[in-house]
Amino acid sequence: MATVHRARISPLLPITEWTLTDAELVEQRGARIRRFALADLRRISVSEGLAQIRFTRGQVRIPARSFGRRGQLDDHSDSFARLTEALAAQGAAYAPQLRLGPPRPQGAEMVVWTIALCGAGALAVLGAAATIGAWSLGLALAARLVFVLILAVAVLPWIGRQNDITTN
């Protein structure tokens, strides 16, 4: 028997329907249909009314709440809970590599954002200093931001490595 959950994820989009059949999860929004085999299921994370389901080739986000009429949020927690429980049960049977729970935070992503923001900050400081005619001050401040950027770039290759040292 198929388990179905429906929600409108945006007031501008048609209702999205997620159907869990014997071996696949089907997402249908209007004429667009996406099919995901449960054998390709990698991770299920459910928190605060949102399920994030990762497959080998894609990701599905399923909300428990739906946009109703006049911008009101409708709660569809019953069908959401049925779908996520059935998905976890069937996923464990079809995908032995399935992991439940939130994904580990990726440190490399935070370092890349630090690099991007420091680079943008250095350019903004140089631009502001050029605008007011204080080149020496702007260059000194931008150099400090570039130094932090260099340190972050130097750390990036070691983020996410496994500890290879074994103790006897």
Side-chain angles (χ1 to χ4, degrees), residues 106-121:
Q106 299 293 327
E109 183 178 342
M110 293 184 289
V111 173
V112 169
W113 273 104
T114 303
I115 292 168
L117 291 174
C118 284

Side-chain angles (χ1 to χ4, degrees), residues 2-166:
T3 306
V4 179
H5 173 66
R6 292 178 185 89
R8 184 181 302 268
I9 57 176
S10 169
L12 303 175
L13 293 174
I15 291 177
T16 305
E17 178 177 292
W18 295 272
T19 306
L20 180 63
T21 61
D22 289 334
E24 67 181 1
L25 178 68
V26 180
E27 178 185 59
Q28 181 176 2
R29 180 182 312 137
R32 178 180 166 214
I33 298 175
R34 293 193 315 168
R35 296 180 184 276
F36 298 95
L38 292 182
D40 295 335
L41 191 59
R42 295 291 176 247
R43 180 177 294 276
I44 298 174
S45 172
V46 180
S47 64
E48 299 180 18
L50 178 67
Q52 295 180 358
I53 300 128
R54 291 185 186 268
F55 292 90
T56 304
R57 293 188 183 120
Q59 178 177 349
V60 179
R61 296 177 65 148
I62 304 173
R65 289 181 222 90
S66 173
F67 282 97
R69 295 201 171 121
R70 291 179 260 136
Q72 300 291 330
L73 286 177
D74 297 334
D75 191 22
H76 298 284
S77 295
D78 296 336
S79 64
F80 175 77
R82 280 194 306 271
L83 178 71
T84 54
E85 289 170 1
L87 185 62
Q90 286 187 22
Y94 285 102
Q97 74 281 359
L98 173 66
R99 295 185 179 191
L100 300 175
R104 288 186 339 191
Q106 299 293 327
E109 183 178 342
M110 293 184 289
V111 173
V112 169
W113 273 104
T114 303
I115 292 168
L117 291 174
C118 284
L123 290 175
V125 166
L126 279 177
T131 303
I132 62 172
W135 274 103
S136 59
L137 177 63
L139 192 58
L141 292 174
R144 285 165 174 78
L145 282 173
V146 169
F147 179 70
V148 172
L149 188 142
I150 291 169
L151 289 177
V153 169
V155 168
L156 192 59
W158 284 277
I159 301 278
R161 280 191 179 177
Q162 298 293 327
N163 188 2
D164 294 332
I165 300 173
T166 58

